[in-house]
């Protein structure tokens, strides 16, 4: 868990100070989790002139003019499933707040963190398998849409 949170932080995600992990422990959950966030709701909306420049210039924009990421929440959670075996779930949740045309703009940062997590696990002799999910049902996982919506207030 700590390694996953560290690699996500290296990609610009900030840990939320919302007591999420403590709340899970208090409720006796088998999961441990942390929630990290990136993006800015107001600054992510493109103005017409910035959109025109971004779409029409044949070269990359200076960082000062590049698009600001819309709000994205990533929940990294883990639980033991057998002796010496753990399940790690890293799942991003985009927000309805912010620029919808760039809703998945944080995906490359999540992918880079996942690559680093996989490399670190391999260096430790651990094996990770990957499964791509469109969503997580409300099965008690802290990364499920219901928990993210109802407990963390993420919209």
């Amino acid at each position: 868990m700590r390694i996953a949170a560290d690699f996500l932080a290296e990609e610009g995600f900030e840990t939320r100070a919302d007591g999420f992990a403590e709340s899970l422990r208090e409720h006796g959950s088998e999961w441990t989790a942390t929630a990290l966030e990136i993006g800015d709701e107001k600054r992510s909306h493109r103005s017409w002139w910035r959109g025109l420049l971004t779409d029409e210039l044949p070269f990359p924009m200076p960082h000062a003019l590049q698009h600001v990421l819309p709000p994205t929440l990533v929940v990294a959670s883990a639980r033991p499933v057998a002796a010496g075996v753990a399940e790690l779930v890293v799942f991003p949740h985009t927000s309805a707040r912010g620029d919808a045309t760039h809703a998945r703009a944080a995906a490359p940062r999540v992918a880079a963190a996942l690559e680093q997590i996989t490399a670190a696990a391999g260096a430790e002799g651990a094996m990770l398998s990957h499964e791509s999910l469109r969503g997580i049902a409300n099965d008690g996982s802290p990364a499920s849409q219901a928990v993210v919506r109802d407990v963390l207030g993420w919209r």
Side-chain angles (χ1 to χ4, degrees):
M1 272 295 307
R2 182 185 49 76
I3 291 171
D6 289 347
F7 285 127
L8 286 162
E10 283 181 20
E11 293 297 326
F13 290 87
E14 296 179 4
T15 303
R16 292 171 48 127
D18 54 13
F20 187 42
E22 294 79 17
S23 177
L24 290 172
R25 277 194 295 276
E26 288 172 4
H27 288 92
S29 176
E30 64 182 334
W31 292 91
T32 181
T34 188
L36 300 99
E37 194 172 337
I38 196 169
D40 185 299
E41 176 182 347
K42 290 180 183 175
R43 292 180 48 219
S44 72
H45 290 285
R46 273 187 355 172
S47 63
W48 68 270
W49 67 268
R50 185 175 290 171
L52 178 66
L53 286 174
T54 303
D55 295 341
E56 298 301 323
L57 288 176
F59 52 85
M61 295 290 292
H63 286 293
L65 297 176
Q66 285 182 0
H67 185 75
V68 174
L69 295 172
T72 303
L73 176 84
V74 175
V75 175
S77 53
R79 70 176 173 176
V81 291
V85 179
E87 176 181 16
L88 172 66
V89 177
V90 177
F91 195 85
H93 296 269
T94 58
S95 176
R97 306 165 309 162
D99 186 356
T101 59
H102 291 88
R104 301 207 183 275
R109 293 176 187 234
V110 174
L114 290 174
E115 286 178 21
Q116 294 170 335
I117 293 165
T118 301
E124 295 289 325
M127 183 178 74
L128 289 180
S129 65
H130 296 264
E131 181 179 344
S132 188
L133 303 169
R134 288 196 160 282
I136 298 176
N138 186 17
D139 61 357
S141 167
S144 73
Q145 282 82 354
V147 170
V148 167
R149 181 187 62 241
D150 298 341
V151 176
L152 296 175
W154 186 257
R155 305 268 187 264

